[in-house]
Amino acid sequence: MRPPIPAWISGAIAALQAFAWSWGLLVVPAVAAFVSAAAQVTTQDSWRSAVGVASRLWLLGHGGTVTVDGATISLIPLGIALLAFAAAYLSARRASRHTLTALISFTITYSLIAQLIALIMGSFGPRLLILTVIIALTGGYLGFRRQSAGDALVVAAPHWLARWNLPALRAGVAGGGASLALLLGIAAVLVTLWAFAGRAAASDIIASLDPDSIGGIVLGGAQLTYLFTLLIWAVAWLTGVGFHVGLGSEFAPAHVALDPLPAVPLLAALPTGDMAGGYTSWLISLVFAAGIVGGLVVWRRLRRLHETAAVPWRDCAIALGASLAFVFVVLVVAFWLATGSIGPGRLASAGPDVLGAALSGSLLIAAGATVTVTFLHPWLRAQVRAAWWSVFGRSGNSENAGERR
């Protein structure tokens, strides 16, 4: 019987597969674009150029930078990052070993591949390392856990963790995740409305560019990779803080300031001046509503933990605190990844105010969750009932006594 492959080798092979899948899906359209644009497409230089473009796009999707005509592009196409995450997840599921050692090897190997390509292309930066580790670690962990039911990845918790109320913490994280998922869905609807309102401007831009069939496909695919970045901008818009696309162009529910933007059809889907002020200023209440839904999830999970007893206020506080912390961290990371440079000069900065938007969004969600959990707690209902009877019940008894006299 053949001995099993070592866990660290299994993890390294899975990381190589993850890289090959995500990188290969970028090489194909790059080669197609060069084939349609160049007359001598079979030369070695043409193929090398296509591979170079695909590699730079792969690095850009992992937090690297790309230099075009002296201008640095660092705004991450989150669609490529999600593609890499899916490749990491699927590769981890196909791995022969699903242990903690394999996960560590998977993460290290994938990160080293990214750093090696960055060394060749001259594309460095802290976000490259951080985002690569996030993609490899989360994608690999979820893939390993799904395949092995988590048994091989369970590690004995230290004794000091016993003092933590882990079920309440998980309830808070679940509620925060539900709020974020609903908020992202609201942002998707908002982006759809923006795109519908700006369809005429987008058509004019496409007509002026006049791309051929292959060029149109490549242009559409490139814009799709930034669609998820636009979704994060819409989330920042919903928090009331908004975002900017270069100096002088600011987008928020209360105001919109427009300066000339690059001729890109996707930018035509940004909100215009008539979408600011008035009723749009109240759309931040949707973030509060997302917090209410998260609070319902938190309360439902806490009730499952205390089926035969009242839910302690301590558990409610722990769950709500965990929800606030989880939402804040996720929003900070998301907004940080959705900022960067899109061109020279005033276009060197685009995206939301990371800390301001994250703080506003997390506090609105936490307020909605806190109101919901407090309102649903039996103690509050008992106090309200007692106050009602102490006021209206006493007056009712006095009236009945007067009638008897």
Side-chain angles (χ1 to χ4, degrees), residues 16-37:
L16 289 171
Q17 291 177 345
F19 161 72
W21 287 357
S22 59
W23 180 77
L25 288 175
L26 296 178
V27 169
V28 172
V31 171
F34 272 87
V35 167
S36 64

Side-chain angles (χ1 to χ4, degrees), residues 231-287:
L231 284 177
I232 302 301
W233 288 0
V235 172
W237 191 88
L238 285 170
T239 64
V241 176
F243 58 94
H244 64 279
V245 183
L247 294 177
S249 297
E250 299 179 357
F251 304 87
H255 70 281
V256 171
L258 290 176
D259 268 359
L261 296 174
V264 178
L266 184 64
L267 295 182
L270 296 178
T272 57
D274 56 352
M275 298 180 185
Y279 72 94
T280 58
S281 300
W282 293 93
L283 290 180
I284 61 173
S285 61
L286 296 176
V287 185

Side-chain angles (χ1 to χ4, degrees), residues 343-357:
R346 68 180 188 85
L347 298 177
S349 176
D353 176 10
V354 175
L355 291 180

Side-chain angles (χ1 to χ4, degrees), residues 10-394:
S10 174
I13 293 175
L16 289 171
Q17 291 177 345
F19 161 72
W21 287 357
S22 59
W23 180 77
L25 288 175
L26 296 178
V27 169
V28 172
V31 171
F34 272 87
V35 167
S36 64
Q40 297 178 346
V41 297
T42 58
T43 63
Q44 186 177 358
D45 291 338
S46 298
W47 290 101
R48 186 184 297 113
S49 299
V51 172
V53 169
S55 299
R56 286 181 173 85
L57 288 176
W58 188 87
L59 285 175
L60 185 62
H62 285 72
T65 59
V66 173
T67 302
V68 180
D69 295 332
T72 299
I73 308 298
S74 62
L75 185 63
I76 301 174
L78 293 180
I80 296 179
L82 292 176
L83 173 66
F85 173 82
Y89 171 77
L90 295 175
S91 298
R93 289 195 61 182
R94 292 170 58 89
S96 58
R97 301 290 298 275
H98 305 93
T99 64
L100 184 60
T101 301
L103 177 61
I104 295 174
S105 175
F106 181 89
T107 304
I108 293 176
T109 303
Y110 194 88
S111 302
L112 288 178
I113 292 173
Q115 296 303 313
L116 178 60
I117 298 178
L119 179 63
I120 297 173
M121 297 296 173
S123 175
F124 294 98
R127 290 203 301 183
L128 175 62
L129 178 60
I130 295 174
L131 184 55
T132 302
V133 171
I134 291 176
I135 290 173
L137 186 60
T138 56
Y141 174 78
L142 293 176
F144 286 173
R145 186 175 180 85
R146 176 67 180 272
Q147 191 68 15
S148 62
D151 296 335
L153 295 178
V154 174
V155 182
H159 293 293
W160 60 270
L161 278 179
R163 294 178 296 178
W164 291 63
N165 196 327
L166 295 182
L169 288 175
R170 288 195 293 267
V173 171
S179 298
L180 290 174
L182 179 58
L183 188 59
L184 193 61
I186 296 173
V189 174
L190 187 63
V191 169
T192 303
L193 295 176
W194 290 350
F196 182 78
R199 64 190 185 281
S203 299
D204 293 340
I205 294 174
I206 294 175
S208 64
L209 294 175
D210 192 23
D212 57 13
S213 57
I214 299 297
I217 294 175
V218 172
L219 178 62
Q223 291 187 104
L224 284 177
T225 62
Y226 277 106
L227 180 60
F228 298 96
T229 306
L230 184 57
L231 284 177
I232 302 301
W233 288 0
V235 172
W237 191 88
L238 285 170
T239 64
V241 176
F243 58 94
H244 64 279
V245 183
L247 294 177
S249 297
E250 299 179 357
F251 304 87
H255 70 281
V256 171
L258 290 176
D259 268 359
L261 296 174
V264 178
L266 184 64
L267 295 182
L270 296 178
T272 57
D274 56 352
M275 298 180 185
Y279 72 94
T280 58
S281 300
W282 293 93
L283 290 180
I284 61 173
S285 61
L286 296 176
V287 185
F288 183 84
I292 292 178
V293 174
L296 292 174
V297 174
V298 170
W299 179 252
R300 184 177 181 181
R301 285 179 170 258
L302 291 178
R303 286 297 300 163
R304 290 179 181 176
L305 295 175
H306 304 277
E307 294 181 354
T308 60
V311 178
W313 281 111
R314 177 175 175 271
D315 285 8
C316 294
I318 291 174
L320 292 173
S323 178
L324 172 62
F326 176 75
V327 170
F328 179 75
V329 170
V330 171
L331 289 181
V332 165
V333 173
F335 293 149
W336 179 61
L337 295 177
T339 59
S341 171
I342 60 173
R346 68 180 188 85
L347 298 177
S349 176
D353 176 10
V354 175
L355 291 180
L359 186 61
S360 175
S362 58
L363 288 180
L364 284 170
I365 288 177
T370 302
V371 168
T372 302
V373 172
T374 304
F375 180 78
L376 293 177
H377 200 282
W379 179 86
L380 180 64
R381 295 202 300 270
Q383 297 301 315
V384 172
R385 190 181 302 110
W388 174 276
W389 283 107
S390 64
V391 176
F392 296 99
R394 184 180 302 172

